[in-house]
PDB file of all heavy atoms in Angstrom:
ATOM      1  N   ARG A 155      83.154 134.057 109.052  1.00  0.00           N
ATOM      2  CA  ARG A 155      83.863 133.319 107.987  1.00  0.00           C
ATOM      3  C   ARG A 155      85.201 132.803 108.564  1.00  0.00           C
ATOM      4  O   ARG A 155      85.601 131.690 108.175  1.00  0.00           O
ATOM      5  CB  ARG A 155      84.097 134.292 106.811  1.00  0.00           C
ATOM      6  CG  ARG A 155      84.735 133.591 105.653  1.00  0.00           C
ATOM      7  CD  ARG A 155      84.805 134.576 104.447  1.00  0.00           C
ATOM      8  NE  ARG A 155      85.639 135.709 104.672  1.00  0.00           N
ATOM      9  CZ  ARG A 155      85.918 136.699 103.790  1.00  0.00           C
ATOM     10  NH1 ARG A 155      85.376 136.628 102.634  1.00  0.00           N
ATOM     11  NH2 ARG A 155      86.730 137.642 104.100  1.00  0.00           N
ATOM     12  N   GLU A 156      85.819 133.589 109.401  1.00  0.00           N
ATOM     13  CA  GLU A 156      87.142 133.155 109.957  1.00  0.00           C
ATOM     14  C   GLU A 156      86.923 131.967 110.920  1.00  0.00           C
ATOM     15  O   GLU A 156      87.757 131.040 110.954  1.00  0.00           O
ATOM     16  CB  GLU A 156      87.801 134.331 110.724  1.00  0.00           C
ATOM     17  CG  GLU A 156      89.269 134.028 111.021  1.00  0.00           C
ATOM     18  CD  GLU A 156      90.188 134.052 109.785  1.00  0.00           C
ATOM     19  OE1 GLU A 156      89.839 134.669 108.770  1.00  0.00           O
ATOM     20  OE2 GLU A 156      91.105 133.208 109.845  1.00  0.00           O
ATOM     21  N   VAL A 157      85.793 131.959 111.719  1.00  0.00           N
ATOM     22  CA  VAL A 157      85.462 130.908 112.548  1.00  0.00           C
ATOM     23  C   VAL A 157      85.282 129.600 111.701  1.00  0.00           C
ATOM     24  O   VAL A 157      85.803 128.485 112.064  1.00  0.00           O
ATOM     25  CB  VAL A 157      84.220 131.113 113.369  1.00  0.00           C
ATOM     26  CG1 VAL A 157      83.701 129.906 114.092  1.00  0.00           C
ATOM     27  CG2 VAL A 157      84.462 132.194 114.433  1.00  0.00           C
ATOM     28  N   ARG A 158      84.547 129.677 110.595  1.00  0.00           N
ATOM     29  CA  ARG A 158      84.313 128.481 109.706  1.00  0.00           C
ATOM     30  C   ARG A 158      85.618 127.958 109.183  1.00  0.00           C
ATOM     31  O   ARG A 158      85.889 126.802 109.090  1.00  0.00           O
ATOM     32  CB  ARG A 158      83.403 128.912 108.578  1.00  0.00           C
ATOM     33  CG  ARG A 158      81.861 129.045 109.063  1.00  0.00           C
ATOM     34  CD  ARG A 158      81.004 129.084 107.871  1.00  0.00           C
ATOM     35  NE  ARG A 158      81.263 130.192 106.925  1.00  0.00           N
ATOM     36  CZ  ARG A 158      80.634 131.416 107.031  1.00  0.00           C
ATOM     37  NH1 ARG A 158      79.851 131.625 108.032  1.00  0.00           N
ATOM     38  NH2 ARG A 158      80.918 132.350 106.166  1.00  0.00           N
ATOM     39  N   LYS A 159      86.520 128.904 108.716  1.00  0.00           N
ATOM     40  CA  LYS A 159      87.775 128.522 108.199  1.00  0.00           C
ATOM     41  C   LYS A 159      88.627 127.804 109.209  1.00  0.00           C
ATOM     42  O   LYS A 159      89.247 126.760 108.945  1.00  0.00           O
ATOM     43  CB  LYS A 159      88.572 129.764 107.664  1.00  0.00           C
ATOM     44  CG  LYS A 159      89.805 129.474 106.892  1.00  0.00           C
ATOM     45  CD  LYS A 159      90.613 130.689 106.651  1.00  0.00           C
ATOM     46  CE  LYS A 159      89.819 131.767 105.835  1.00  0.00           C
ATOM     47  NZ  LYS A 159      90.668 132.916 105.573  1.00  0.00           N
ATOM     48  N   THR A 160      88.684 128.327 110.482  1.00  0.00           N
ATOM     49  CA  THR A 160      89.444 127.739 111.535  1.00  0.00           C
ATOM     50  C   THR A 160      88.847 126.434 111.909  1.00  0.00           C
ATOM     51  O   THR A 160      89.630 125.464 112.199  1.00  0.00           O
ATOM     52  CB  THR A 160      89.523 128.703 112.726  1.00  0.00           C
ATOM     53  OG1 THR A 160      89.988 129.976 112.342  1.00  0.00           O
ATOM     54  CG2 THR A 160      90.340 128.070 113.866  1.00  0.00           C
ATOM     55  N   GLN A 161      87.555 126.340 111.960  1.00  0.00           N
ATOM     56  CA  GLN A 161      86.843 125.061 112.248  1.00  0.00           C
ATOM     57  C   GLN A 161      87.217 123.958 111.246  1.00  0.00           C
ATOM     58  O   GLN A 161      87.404 122.797 111.640  1.00  0.00           O
ATOM     59  CB  GLN A 161      85.403 125.213 112.375  1.00  0.00           C
ATOM     60  CG  GLN A 161      84.585 124.048 112.895  1.00  0.00           C
ATOM     61  CD  GLN A 161      84.899 123.645 114.231  1.00  0.00           C
ATOM     62  OE1 GLN A 161      84.860 124.395 115.237  1.00  0.00           O
ATOM     63  NE2 GLN A 161      85.435 122.421 114.480  1.00  0.00           N
ATOM     64  N   ARG A 162      87.201 124.321 109.999  1.00  0.00           N
ATOM     65  CA  ARG A 162      87.605 123.349 108.925  1.00  0.00           C
ATOM     66  C   ARG A 162      89.038 122.799 109.144  1.00  0.00           C
ATOM     67  O   ARG A 162      89.311 121.634 109.033  1.00  0.00           O
ATOM     68  CB  ARG A 162      87.493 123.973 107.560  1.00  0.00           C
ATOM     69  CG  ARG A 162      86.073 124.082 107.053  1.00  0.00           C
ATOM     70  CD  ARG A 162      85.943 124.350 105.539  1.00  0.00           C
ATOM     71  NE  ARG A 162      86.696 125.572 105.165  1.00  0.00           N
ATOM     72  CZ  ARG A 162      86.094 126.775 105.016  1.00  0.00           C
ATOM     73  NH1 ARG A 162      84.769 126.853 105.293  1.00  0.00           N
ATOM     74  NH2 ARG A 162      86.679 127.890 104.723  1.00  0.00           N
ATOM     75  N   ARG A 163      89.872 123.660 109.553  1.00  0.00           N
ATOM     76  CA  ARG A 163      91.354 123.296 109.811  1.00  0.00           C
ATOM     77  C   ARG A 163      91.399 122.417 111.019  1.00  0.00           C
ATOM     78  O   ARG A 163      92.108 121.426 111.063  1.00  0.00           O
ATOM     79  CB  ARG A 163      92.218 124.547 110.012  1.00  0.00           C
ATOM     80  CG  ARG A 163      92.472 125.325 108.686  1.00  0.00           C
ATOM     81  CD  ARG A 163      93.163 126.602 109.055  1.00  0.00           C
ATOM     82  NE  ARG A 163      93.407 127.383 107.818  1.00  0.00           N
ATOM     83  CZ  ARG A 163      93.880 128.624 107.784  1.00  0.00           C
ATOM     84  NH1 ARG A 163      94.231 129.200 108.903  1.00  0.00           N
ATOM     85  NH2 ARG A 163      94.075 129.293 106.652  1.00  0.00           N
ATOM     86  N   VAL A 164      90.587 122.774 112.040  1.00  0.00           N
ATOM     87  CA  VAL A 164      90.606 121.855 113.292  1.00  0.00           C
ATOM     88  C   VAL A 164      90.101 120.511 112.882  1.00  0.00           C
ATOM     89  O   VAL A 164      90.619 119.533 113.350  1.00  0.00           O
ATOM     90  CB  VAL A 164      89.751 122.582 114.388  1.00  0.00           C
ATOM     91  CG1 VAL A 164      89.454 121.573 115.499  1.00  0.00           C
ATOM     92  CG2 VAL A 164      90.426 123.793 114.916  1.00  0.00           C
ATOM     93  N   ASN A 165      89.017 120.532 112.178  1.00  0.00           N
ATOM     94  CA  ASN A 165      88.471 119.199 111.733  1.00  0.00           C
ATOM     95  C   ASN A 165      89.385 118.385 110.944  1.00  0.00           C
ATOM     96  O   ASN A 165      89.464 117.120 111.076  1.00  0.00           O
ATOM     97  CB  ASN A 165      87.097 119.397 111.005  1.00  0.00           C
ATOM     98  CG  ASN A 165      85.973 119.952 111.858  1.00  0.00           C
ATOM     99  OD1 ASN A 165      86.071 119.836 113.108  1.00  0.00           O
ATOM    100  ND2 ASN A 165      84.979 120.546 111.240  1.00  0.00           N
ATOM    101  N   ALA A 166      90.137 119.064 110.019  1.00  0.00           N
ATOM    102  CA  ALA A 166      91.065 118.382 109.152  1.00  0.00           C
ATOM    103  C   ALA A 166      92.188 117.700 109.982  1.00  0.00           C
ATOM    104  O   ALA A 166      92.528 116.504 109.762  1.00  0.00           O
ATOM    105  CB  ALA A 166      91.650 119.308 108.155  1.00  0.00           C
ATOM    106  N   LEU A 167      92.654 118.432 110.943  1.00  0.00           N
ATOM    107  CA  LEU A 167      93.674 117.855 111.892  1.00  0.00           C
ATOM    108  C   LEU A 167      93.102 116.772 112.732  1.00  0.00           C
ATOM    109  O   LEU A 167      93.696 115.725 112.863  1.00  0.00           O
ATOM    110  CB  LEU A 167      94.287 118.988 112.773  1.00  0.00           C
ATOM    111  CG  LEU A 167      95.227 119.931 112.091  1.00  0.00           C
ATOM    112  CD1 LEU A 167      95.605 121.070 112.968  1.00  0.00           C
ATOM    113  CD2 LEU A 167      96.520 119.209 111.535  1.00  0.00           C
ATOM    114  N   GLU A 168      91.923 117.040 113.280  1.00  0.00           N
ATOM    115  CA  GLU A 168      91.385 116.068 114.264  1.00  0.00           C
ATOM    116  C   GLU A 168      90.882 114.804 113.559  1.00  0.00           C
ATOM    117  O   GLU A 168      91.021 113.668 114.131  1.00  0.00           O
ATOM    118  CB  GLU A 168      90.204 116.720 114.961  1.00  0.00           C
ATOM    119  CG  GLU A 168      89.504 115.871 116.000  1.00  0.00           C
ATOM    120  CD  GLU A 168      88.358 116.521 116.638  1.00  0.00           C
ATOM    121  OE1 GLU A 168      87.900 117.555 116.132  1.00  0.00           O
ATOM    122  OE2 GLU A 168      87.930 116.040 117.640  1.00  0.00           O
ATOM    123  N   LYS A 169      90.335 114.905 112.335  1.00  0.00           N
ATOM    124  CA  LYS A 169      89.664 113.731 111.740  1.00  0.00           C
ATOM    125  C   LYS A 169      90.462 113.104 110.586  1.00  0.00           C
ATOM    126  O   LYS A 169      90.128 111.998 110.170  1.00  0.00           O
ATOM    127  CB  LYS A 169      88.285 114.149 111.239  1.00  0.00           C
ATOM    128  CG  LYS A 169      87.331 114.579 112.379  1.00  0.00           C
ATOM    129  CD  LYS A 169      86.023 114.965 111.784  1.00  0.00           C
ATOM    130  CE  LYS A 169      85.061 115.451 113.000  1.00  0.00           C
ATOM    131  NZ  LYS A 169      83.800 115.907 112.521  1.00  0.00           N
ATOM    132  N   MET A 170      91.547 113.791 110.115  1.00  0.00           N
ATOM    133  CA  MET A 170      92.287 113.218 109.034  1.00  0.00           C
ATOM    134  C   MET A 170      93.751 113.142 109.279  1.00  0.00           C
ATOM    135  O   MET A 170      94.394 112.061 109.379  1.00  0.00           O
ATOM    136  CB  MET A 170      92.054 114.042 107.763  1.00  0.00           C
ATOM    137  CG  MET A 170      90.593 113.983 107.238  1.00  0.00           C
ATOM    138  SD  MET A 170      90.394 114.976 105.741  1.00  0.00           S
ATOM    139  CE  MET A 170      91.506 114.176 104.632  1.00  0.00           C
ATOM    140  N   VAL A 171      94.417 114.298 109.510  1.00  0.00           N
ATOM    141  CA  VAL A 171      95.878 114.374 109.634  1.00  0.00           C
ATOM    142  C   VAL A 171      96.330 113.573 110.788  1.00  0.00           C
ATOM    143  O   VAL A 171      97.228 112.686 110.642  1.00  0.00           O
ATOM    144  CB  VAL A 171      96.303 115.783 109.687  1.00  0.00           C
ATOM    145  CG1 VAL A 171      97.879 115.828 109.872  1.00  0.00           C
ATOM    146  CG2 VAL A 171      95.936 116.603 108.472  1.00  0.00           C
ATOM    147  N   ILE A 172      95.900 113.874 112.028  1.00  0.00           N
ATOM    148  CA  ILE A 172      96.319 113.155 113.172  1.00  0.00           C
ATOM    149  C   ILE A 172      95.974 111.660 113.208  1.00  0.00           C
ATOM    150  O   ILE A 172      96.906 110.843 113.479  1.00  0.00           O
ATOM    151  CB  ILE A 172      95.762 113.835 114.479  1.00  0.00           C
ATOM    152  CG1 ILE A 172      96.402 115.212 114.592  1.00  0.00           C
ATOM    153  CG2 ILE A 172      96.043 113.049 115.758  1.00  0.00           C
ATOM    154  CD1 ILE A 172      95.835 116.078 115.696  1.00  0.00           C
TER     155      ILE A 172
END
Side-chain angles (χ1 to χ4, degrees):
R155 187 174 63 179
E156 196 64 33
V157 168
R158 288 194 297 270
K159 187 190 301 182
T160 304
Q161 185 63 58
R162 284 196 298 268
R163 291 174 179 171
V164 168
N165 290 341
L167 286 171
E168 182 181 14
K169 298 178 181 179
M170 293 180 63
V171 176
I172 293 177

